[in-house]
Amino acid sequence: MIDIFKELKKLKFPNGEYLVVGGTMAGHGIREAHDLDILVTPNLYQKLLKQGYKQCKCKQCLNTSRLMLKKDKVDILPNLIFKNYIGDTNKLIKNADIIKGYPFLKIIEFIKFKKELGRLKDLEDIKLMKKYLRKK
């Protein structure tokens, strides 16, 4: 497990240039996170690349030409696109849920994204998020 708030504090990313995606459920207190996936603006992505973040060269990234930077338990995403889900980075950042001073992807958006991913774990996450929304 990972303490996402400690990790976010260490990263010191500029406000308005990033959004927590993987870790959103932990931010909302739905379930713990194993890692942190952060969507960033093109400007921040280029800065991080110059600061030593490494381009992921895993089999999945190479096979799909997916761009992603990796450092420790943090994955940096230049976009949030999968199948029919195309997230507008600037709009998602602008409309973020702010939790403890950090921007998180709105739960309703995360549900849409997870539906496109469609893995068993995503379907389980969707159930947990819908339950969370019903309680709110």
Side-chain angles (χ1 to χ4, degrees):
M1 299 304 140
I2 182 175
D3 183 331
I4 59 169
F5 293 104
K6 277 186 182 175
E7 290 298 321
L8 288 167
K9 186 176 182 179
K10 282 194 274 185
L11 293 171
K12 298 179 183 171
F13 286 170
N15 287 335
E17 290 205 42
Y18 75 99
L19 172 77
V20 176
V21 177
T24 290
M25 293 177 69
H28 284 274
I30 299 171
R31 71 160 171 78
E32 291 183 332
H34 299 284
D35 61 3
L36 197 53
D37 300 325
I38 301 177
L39 174 66
V40 299
T41 61
N43 180 47
L44 183 55
Y45 192 86
Q46 289 304 314
K47 283 181 187 175
L48 296 172
L49 203 50
K50 289 175 186 170
Q51 289 174 12
Y53 280 75
K54 300 292 180 205
Q55 183 65 50
C56 182
K57 293 184 177 17
C58 74
K59 189 175 180 180
Q60 183 183 6
C61 285
L62 292 174
N63 286 344
T64 61
S65 300
R66 180 173 82 172
L67 292 176
M68 180 172 71
L69 301 177
K70 290 190 86 64
K71 190 172 185 182
D72 301 322
K73 289 190 172 192
V74 180
D75 294 343
I76 306 296
L77 312 168
N79 58 53
L80 195 59
I81 297 171
F82 192 80
K83 292 184 182 174
N84 294 315
Y85 184 89
I86 301 172
D88 178 326
T89 300
N90 292 323
K91 189 175 175 183
L92 292 173
I93 291 171
K94 184 181 175 201
N95 295 320
D97 284 334
I98 305 300
I99 303 170
K100 296 184 181 181
Y102 298 102
F104 286 83
L105 183 64
K106 291 209 169 286
I107 293 289
I108 200 76
E109 282 299 317
F110 205 30
I111 289 172
K112 290 177 193 175
F113 182 65
K114 289 262 188 186
K115 279 182 182 175
E116 288 300 318
L117 291 173
R119 302 167 297 190
L120 184 58
K121 70 178 188 173
D122 299 312
L123 301 176
E124 292 299 320
D125 285 346
I126 289 168
K127 287 178 190 174
L128 291 173
M129 288 186 281
K130 285 183 175 182
K131 183 178 177 183
Y132 170 81
L133 288 174
R134 281 192 300 273
K135 286 182 179 179
K136 271 189 95 178

